Amino acid sequence: MCLDEAPATQVVMTRDEGLKYYRVMQTIRRMELKADQLYKQKIIRGFCHLYDGQEACAVGIEAGINLTDHLITAYRAHGYTYTRGGTVKEIMAELTGRRGGIAKGKGGSMHMYTKNFYGGNGIVGAQVPLGAGVALACQYQGNNELSVSLYGDGAANQGQIFETYNMAALWKLPAIFICENNRYGMGTSVERSAASTDYYKRGDYIPGLRVDGMDVLCVREATKFAADHCRSGKGPMLMELQTYRYHGHSMSDPGVSYRTREEIQEVRGKSDPISLLKDRMLSNNMASVEELKEIDVSVRKEIEDAAQFATTDPEPPLEELCNHIFYNDADLEVRGTNPWTTLKSVS
């Protein structure tokens, strides 16, 4: 489907906006590098998918919508948990499974939530129908809000995504479907897994945009454009953000068996989202090198303090295990088991 208009190609970024985007991207980057370190020390265990390299996607999307809008993503969720209002402290403590974590230490890397953020979701592609359900709620309540559903190039071949496109288009839902194409679905390159890698055209009857996902301003403008489209009642919009992850798929993937170290270095050197923004600000005299260094220092301190908290905060007590399963505390008998019976630790 063709659009009559396109996102702006000339845009204004104020100095304050630039400094804010820089700080948030740098915070996500440092947080993920600290998570990598804690994982290698076996302080973080289990699934852990890092977002470094893709920061411009999260920061650009948030700059194009409101915090009252809704967002749902897959399991590479640390960056979005932060941009949606979570703190570094809460995120790091969730990664280490501590009581002060954003999901009280029970969600871990893949399952974090904040207001209007419906989390990391572990099942590939399953968050997209849920996101459309949130868009239906926005439409039903008539509150002029919208829902953003994110998925990767690996999930883009899931049937449930096409079923969702169909319903969203039929009902003209205020939904933005965003494929974060980081070029590899686990260890499989897009060329080896998709007959067509034009993910932005997959909506067929839903208009789509292909966006440079390494440039925070490109992502911001495309998102604003898509948001205006949705809010004006024209129905859903599809976006493909072309981005790149520096780490492997998860911490159990060294990330160099299916791509070369040279490829990773080349992307870092030519299109790193933080470096691009930094160079743009310096060359336009919007900030000084010293100023950006000060931001780096304060970000590092914030991350160190959060890591300190995440390694000293106590783990949730055993009696917390069965809380928050049912919405109320009714004494339910489920197949002869009662989740409120006293739990004993046998070790």
Side-chain angles (χ1 to χ4, degrees):
M1 185 177 166
C2 290
L3 289 161
D4 301 330
E5 300 167 317
T9 48
Q10 284 188 311
V11 299
V12 175
M13 176 180 75
T14 65
R15 175 183 135 82
D16 287 348
E17 284 171 343
L19 291 172
K20 181 187 171 188
Y21 303 158
Y22 181 80
R23 177 181 280 275
V24 178
M25 288 203 286
Q26 198 64 280
T27 303
I28 296 170
R29 173 74 52 92
R30 292 275 148 215
M31 180 170 75
E32 296 300 58
L33 294 177
K34 178 52 81 175
D36 169 87
Q37 201 182 338
L38 294 176
Y39 199 96
K40 284 169 178 163
Q41 293 169 359
K42 297 190 174 173
I43 294 167
I44 295 172
R45 312 298 290 255
F47 293 108
C48 187
H49 306 81
L50 301 182
Y51 198 67
D52 50 325
Q54 301 182 207
E55 296 90 351
C57 298
V59 177
I61 290 167
E62 291 290 7
I65 59 172
N66 309 318
L67 276 173
T68 48
D69 291 317
H70 308 263
L71 191 141
I72 189 167
T73 188
Y75 37 77
R76 202 176 299 282
H78 310 162
Y80 289 101
T81 310
Y82 180 67
T83 60
R84 289 264 99 191
T87 65
V88 179
K89 213 171 174 181
E90 289 172 322
I91 295 166
M92 296 302 287
E94 192 55 47
L95 290 173
T96 56
R98 306 305 170 103
R99 202 185 297 183
I102 201 156
K104 302 191 184 327
K106 298 184 192 179
S109 169
M110 302 198 293
H111 305 291
M112 302 186 189
Y113 312 89
T114 63
K115 189 167 172 57
N116 301 332
F117 174 55
Y118 305 85
N121 290 269
I123 306 297
V124 174
Q127 70 278 11
V128 180
L130 298 179
V134 175
L136 177 61
C138 294
Q139 186 188 62
Y140 183 75
Q141 291 171 343
N143 53 22
N144 206 27
E145 291 167 8
L146 57 84
S147 169
V148 175
S149 305
L150 292 128
Y151 55 97
D153 51 281
N157 298 319
Q158 280 271 327
Q160 56 188 329
I161 290 180
F162 293 90
E163 293 176 44
T164 304
Y165 289 167
N166 184 52
M167 293 173 90
L170 271 176
W171 298 342
K172 285 195 158 55
L173 298 182
I176 308 176
F177 299 112
I178 303 183
C179 175
E180 288 184 289
N181 175 5
N182 61 20
R183 294 183 13 199
Y184 297 94
M186 296 188 71
T188 308
S189 69
V190 289
E191 294 80 16
R192 288 178 56 222
S193 65
S196 163
T197 56
D198 290 339
Y199 296 104
Y200 70 106
K201 292 180 181 174
R202 295 272 185 101
D204 186 12
Y205 35 76
I206 298 176
L209 302 168
R210 176 176 266 171
V211 183
D212 179 355
M214 301 304 258
D215 184 331
V216 68
L217 292 181
C218 286
V219 179
R220 182 186 79 175
E221 292 312 310
T223 306
K224 278 183 179 172
F225 179 82
D228 289 344
H229 178 91
C230 285
R231 289 193 219 278
S232 62
K234 293 177 188 165
M237 174 81 89
L238 200 62
M239 280 164 60
E240 175 191 346
L241 307 182
Q242 295 188 309
T243 183
Y244 198 81
R245 58 169 159 79
Y246 295 154
H247 266 86
H249 168 70
S250 69
M251 284 302 295
S252 56
D253 164 25
V256 288
S257 58
Y258 49 86
R259 57 181 186 177
T260 62
R261 289 181 197 276
E262 290 71 39
E263 177 183 301
I264 304 166
Q265 286 313 118
E266 189 183 356
V267 176
R268 271 185 193 276
K270 287 184 181 169
S271 45
D272 180 77
I274 298 175
S275 302
L276 286 176
L277 178 64
K278 183 179 182 177
D279 295 346
R280 193 177 266 163
M281 291 189 74
L282 292 174
S283 60
N284 287 295
N285 295 322
M286 291 175 84
S288 65
V289 176
E290 290 69 35
E291 239 177 328
L292 297 179
K293 274 208 179 114
E294 274 172 33
I295 291 177
D296 296 350
V297 169
S298 89
V299 164
R300 279 190 188 181
K301 184 181 182 323
E302 185 184 0
I303 304 298
E304 283 308 322
D305 292 349
Q308 182 61 33
F309 174 73
T311 48
T312 53
D313 192 47
E315 292 185 348
L318 190 62
E319 55 271 16
E320 276 281 305
L321 185 64
C322 295
N323 292 347
H324 308 114
I325 293 174
F326 297 96
Y327 83 99
N328 60 14
D329 289 342
D331 196 8
L332 296 172
E333 292 288 335
V334 182
R335 288 188 187 167
T337 66
N338 181 342
W340 284 272
T341 49
T342 311
L343 296 158
K344 294 184 186 71
S345 175
V346 183
S347 58

